[in-house]
Amino acid sequence: MLDLLKNDITPRIPLRGSISASGDLVPLAYIGGTLEGKRGTMVWVGRKADRRAVTADVALEMSHLKPIKLGPKEGLALINGTAVSCGVAALAVHEINNMAVLSQVLAAMSVEALCGTDESFDPFFAAVRPHQGQTEAGRNIHGFLAGSKLVQRNHGLEEGSLRQDRYSIRTASQWLGPVLEDLVLASTQLSIECNSVTDNPLIEFDFENPGRTKTHHGGNFQAKAVTSAMEKVRLGVQTIGQMLFAQCTEIINPKLNNGLPPNLVVDEPSESWIMKSVDIMIASLQSELGFLSNPAGTHVLSAEMGNQSLNSLGLISARYTHIALEVLSQLASAHLFAVCQALDLRAMQLAFILAIEPVLIKNTSEILSEILSEDEELVFHESLWKQFKMQLDITTTLDSTQRFSTIFKALQPIVLDFASSSSSNTVVTVKKWSAICSSQAQEIFIRNREAYHSQPDASGILGTAASRLYKFVRDELQVPFLRTTMLWGPDPGTTPPPQGTLFQLEDIDQQQLRPGMTTGSLITTIYNSIRDGSLYTPVLECLAEVELSG
């Protein structure tokens, strides 16, 4: 069998047809047929694009390998075991273990994207409820958030802020904890199975007295341990997916995302819907995971004229677990795409806040000085600034042309409350202040948006884990901070439309249009990095860093 691997000979095993009871008889028979060089057994020869299908005898001859001749019991030992279902299941466990770590990193990134708190992952929670899985998840997420400038540590004392985060991030460690514990058990089950004898009958050889050698007829071929492990893994996949779905929808939704624009758009909200398809996509994926989480082992039928009335369906369960993991990979890819977009928006928002604050102070001091008391000026500025940031968070659905006039109209009553008089001149002064501030705020907002998008980099405000994954997505995978005009457009030599306007296809020569990136193609890039394992390098580096520090 090692010679088959060394020579890139892979038996073509039927995907279906095993009930994993008297072992995986059918798929293992194809492996046995390959070793014997049977003409009726087809195999793959070569790697990837260069491989082709030939019969087993031809493949062995091409590689100068001799067909084996099976001795007593060797054929039975070869086909009457759980090797196929166990091997497929072991690959699934390896993948879900990596995915479990990724889900914890994504949970931490979601906390940052939503400007949540790390209080939810304080070690005290695990100390008073010491489930091992919860303890591990809480420690990891808390460690992943180290160094973040987006995490709130004010315990929700600000007016209008949440005292507690919503459940999608607040209970992440409690949600993932039982999954981690199930994965430990599943890994243990499969580790034992991989290192066990599972054929029948079994020979108990007495080396000191061969005459006492015994033959035992039993049922080690029943792969229920594999089924048990896979059912736990697949339910864990659905559970992880449910958390990622809840976090992602919260990040996209302006009513829940704590000041991010709807659909995480960079451009004007009325002209861009780049995350709408993602929102729909993840609902579809999570619904499918809900279906796939149903157990396979409850669909047993009697087989072999009643002899195999109990059969594990282990290979079926393992196969569907791989399908579920593929779906979860797509969901995690969409989540990572969305959360990186959200983190860039947070960085862009912070840059705007830093730029607008001195302008607002200057305008207020110069225009409102004659109607404000000097004694209350400091208190007024603090109150005004707090309300401005609140209004900024609740007006994200408005285009910039409306947004800032709406904000400063909402701030006028605060100015009037602090005004030393309520004359008609006071009202005129306040309206003048409002108009000037609104115009300048919009101008600064648009200028800041263009400046940040030309050189986006949110890594400086992120926690250790988020920064590492953000850089991988942006630098290694070249998945950009996305705006509508990047999705498709004319060739580089043509004049782009004015900023803030939509492309009109009828106004552009059709020959100038070129296929551009899509949200789907960008998510696929992330998905491919999950499937080929490259994404797990920075993910596991994040975990190693937490373990080293703790």
Side-chain angles (χ1 to χ4, degrees):
M1 292 183 71
L2 287 175
D3 286 335
L4 294 183
L5 293 173
K6 291 177 181 178
N7 289 276
D8 296 316
I9 300 173
T10 307
R12 293 182 63 179
I13 297 175
L15 188 65
R16 299 175 178 86
S18 176
I19 56 176
S20 304
S22 187
D24 294 302
L25 289 171
V26 172
L28 286 170
Y30 281 78
I31 296 176
T34 300
L35 294 171
E36 290 184 300
K38 289 185 177 293
R39 294 181 179 179
T41 302
M42 299 298 295
V43 301
W44 290 112
V45 176
R47 295 186 179 184
K48 296 183 178 179
D50 295 329
R51 73 177 187 172
R52 63 187 190 278
V54 299
T55 57
D57 59 319
V58 172
L60 295 182
E61 185 177 352
M62 289 170 57
S63 300
H64 307 291
L65 298 175
K66 293 182 179 181
I68 66 170
K69 292 183 179 181
L70 298 172
K73 196 186 177 299
E74 288 180 347
L76 190 60
L78 184 62
I79 68 171
N80 199 21
T82 66
V84 172
S85 57
C86 187
V88 174
L91 292 173
V93 166
H94 173 74
E95 189 169 349
I96 187 58
N97 284 337
N98 286 329
M99 189 65 72
V101 182
L102 174 59
S103 70
Q104 293 169 70
V105 176
L106 289 175
M109 295 178 77
S110 298
V111 172
E112 294 184 76
L114 293 166
C115 290
T117 176
D118 61 355
E119 178 188 7
S120 308
F121 311 104
D122 190 285
F124 177 75
F125 288 104
V128 297
R129 194 189 189 214
H131 292 292
Q132 290 183 348
Q134 177 184 332
T135 301
E136 180 180 341
R139 180 205 64 189
N140 290 343
I141 297 173
H142 193 271
F144 294 154
L145 291 170
S148 174
K149 296 178 182 177
L150 292 174
V151 168
Q152 303 300 303
R153 297 181 173 90
N154 51 27
H155 305 293
L157 299 180
E158 282 81 3
E159 180 183 352
S161 66
L162 289 172
R163 176 60 186 89
Q164 305 175 109
D165 293 328
R166 294 184 177 87
Y167 287 10
S168 74
I169 55 176
R170 188 180 3 143
T171 66
S173 62
Q174 290 85 357
W175 186 262
L176 291 174
V179 176
L180 300 184
E181 293 174 14
D182 280 347
L183 296 185
V184 169
L185 178 55
S187 297
T188 300
Q189 289 176 304
L190 288 175
S191 179
I192 293 172
E193 189 74 7
C194 283
N195 293 282
S196 297
V197 179
T198 59
D199 68 318
N200 182 67
L202 300 179
I203 309 299
E204 184 183 0
F205 192 81
D206 190 328
F207 289 93
E208 295 182 357
N209 189 345
R212 295 181 180 177
T213 296
K214 297 179 181 178
T215 299
H216 298 280
H217 296 267
N220 271 10
F221 47 63
Q222 183 71 270
K224 188 63 176 177
V226 176
T227 311
S228 174
M230 288 297 93
E231 311 289 61
K232 284 190 281 288
V233 169
R234 208 160 56 257
L235 184 59
V237 168
Q238 187 277 336
T239 303
I240 291 173
Q242 188 64 50
M243 182 192 73
L244 298 183
F245 171 77
Q247 291 168 353
C248 197
T249 54
E250 190 171 332
I251 291 169
I252 293 172
N253 189 342
K255 294 182 179 179
L256 304 175
N257 63 20
N258 199 16
L260 292 171
N263 288 305
L264 304 180
V265 299
V266 181
D267 304 290
E268 305 297 344
S270 68
E271 298 177 354
S272 180
W273 308 272
I274 57 174
M275 288 292 168
K276 183 174 183 179
S277 59
V278 177
D279 204 356
I280 295 170
M281 168 192 173
I282 60 175
S284 169
L285 295 174
Q286 185 53 29
S287 295
E288 186 170 357
L289 286 181
F291 168 76
L292 290 169
S293 67
N294 286 295
T298 57
H299 298 275
V300 173
L301 297 175
S302 181
E304 199 200 348
M305 290 190 286
N307 182 40
Q308 298 185 37
S309 55
L310 292 179
N311 45 81
S312 71
L313 306 183
L315 182 55
I316 294 175
S317 187
R319 280 177 34 229
Y320 277 102
T321 303
H322 278 276
I323 294 173
L325 283 164
E326 183 179 348
V327 175
L328 181 60
S329 298
Q330 294 175 349
L331 179 52
S333 303
H335 186 293
L336 183 52
F337 173 74
V339 79
C340 285
Q341 180 84 0
L343 294 173
D344 267 318
L345 288 168
R346 289 292 183 200
M348 189 174 77
Q349 183 184 55
L350 288 176
F352 170 70
I353 291 292
L354 289 174
I356 190 62
E357 185 176 16
V359 174
L360 185 58
I361 292 174
K362 179 177 178 293
N363 286 341
T364 301
S365 298
E366 291 180 354
I367 300 172
L368 301 180
S369 59
E370 60 186 47
I371 66 171
L372 293 176
S373 169
E374 291 184 6
D375 296 337
E376 294 187 314
E377 187 172 345
L378 181 59
V379 177
F380 169 72
H381 279 302
E382 291 178 352
S383 178
L384 185 70
W385 183 240
K386 182 187 297 184
Q387 290 299 318
F388 172 79
K389 290 193 292 184
M390 286 181 58
Q391 288 296 320
L392 199 63
D393 285 348
I394 64 177
T395 56
T396 57
T397 59
L398 299 177
D399 288 353
S400 59
T401 51
Q402 300 172 291
R403 185 180 184 186
F404 293 100
S405 60
T406 301
I407 288 175
F408 283 96
K409 283 181 181 177
L411 297 179
Q412 288 179 12
I414 299 174
V415 180
L416 292 173
D417 284 344
F418 278 88
S420 56
S421 65
S422 57
S423 65
S424 58
N425 287 337
T426 299
V427 175
V428 171
T429 301
V430 171
K431 287 185 176 181
K432 176 185 175 182
W433 168 83
S434 179
I436 292 174
C437 288
S438 174
S439 175
Q440 291 185 350
Q442 182 186 352
E443 181 182 341
I444 293 170
F445 178 81
I446 293 174
R447 188 167 63 241
N448 175 76
R449 180 174 64 189
E450 300 308 313
Y452 183 84
H453 190 267
S454 67
Q455 292 184 308
D457 184 8
S459 60
I461 63 172
L462 304 180
T464 55
S467 178
R468 197 183 297 272
L469 235 62
Y470 171 87
K471 288 178 180 178
F472 180 82
V473 171
R474 293 287 185 255
D475 300 338
E476 298 295 325
L477 300 183
Q478 293 292 298
V479 174
F481 179 36
L482 188 64
R483 63 190 307 176
T484 306
T485 50
M486 299 170 67
L487 294 177
W488 58 269
D491 283 327
T494 61
T495 303
Q499 187 63 42
T501 64
L502 292 174
F503 282 124
Q504 299 297 324
L505 289 178
E506 62 269 20
D507 296 334
I508 301 174
D509 185 346
Q510 293 298 304
Q511 293 184 352
Q512 294 176 341
L513 291 178
R514 58 182 172 82
M517 65 183 74
T518 65
T519 53
S521 68
L522 296 174
I523 291 172
T524 298
T525 299
I526 299 174
Y527 169 79
N528 288 338
S529 74
I530 292 178
R531 301 306 290 174
D532 67 23
S534 59
L535 181 69
Y536 291 128
T537 298
V539 167
L540 295 178
E541 287 173 350
C542 294
L543 181 62
E545 190 172 9
V546 169
E547 291 177 342
L548 188 64
S549 64

Short mmCIF file of all heavy atoms in Angstrom, two decimals, residues 114 165 289 376:
data_model
loop_
_atom_site.label_atom_id
_atom_site.label_comp_id
_atom_site.label_asym_id
_atom_site.label_seq_id
_atom_site.Cartn_x
_atom_site.Cartn_y
_atom_site.Cartn_z
N LEU A 114 -17.68 45.38 16.41
CA LEU A 114 -18.88 45.92 17.04
C LEU A 114 -18.56 46.84 18.22
O LEU A 114 -19.46 47.30 18.91
CB LEU A 114 -19.76 44.76 17.52
CG LEU A 114 -20.38 43.90 16.41
CD1 LEU A 114 -20.93 42.60 16.97
CD2 LEU A 114 -21.48 44.68 15.69
N ASP A 165 -22.96 43.51 25.85
CA ASP A 165 -23.00 43.19 24.43
C ASP A 165 -24.12 42.19 24.16
O ASP A 165 -24.56 41.47 25.06
CB ASP A 165 -21.66 42.58 23.99
CG ASP A 165 -20.53 43.58 24.05
OD1 ASP A 165 -20.79 44.78 23.83
OD2 ASP A 165 -19.38 43.16 24.31
N LEU A 289 -26.49 24.08 6.91
CA LEU A 289 -25.81 23.44 8.04
C LEU A 289 -26.81 22.87 9.04
O LEU A 289 -26.56 21.82 9.65
CB LEU A 289 -24.89 24.44 8.74
CG LEU A 289 -23.59 24.81 8.02
CD1 LEU A 289 -22.79 25.79 8.85
CD2 LEU A 289 -22.77 23.57 7.72
N GLU A 376 -19.47 78.08 31.45
CA GLU A 376 -20.04 76.79 31.07
C GLU A 376 -19.48 76.27 29.74
O GLU A 376 -19.94 75.26 29.23
CB GLU A 376 -21.57 76.90 30.96
CG GLU A 376 -22.26 77.16 32.29
CD GLU A 376 -23.76 77.09 32.14
OE1 GLU A 376 -24.29 77.67 31.17
OE2 GLU A 376 -24.40 76.44 32.97
#
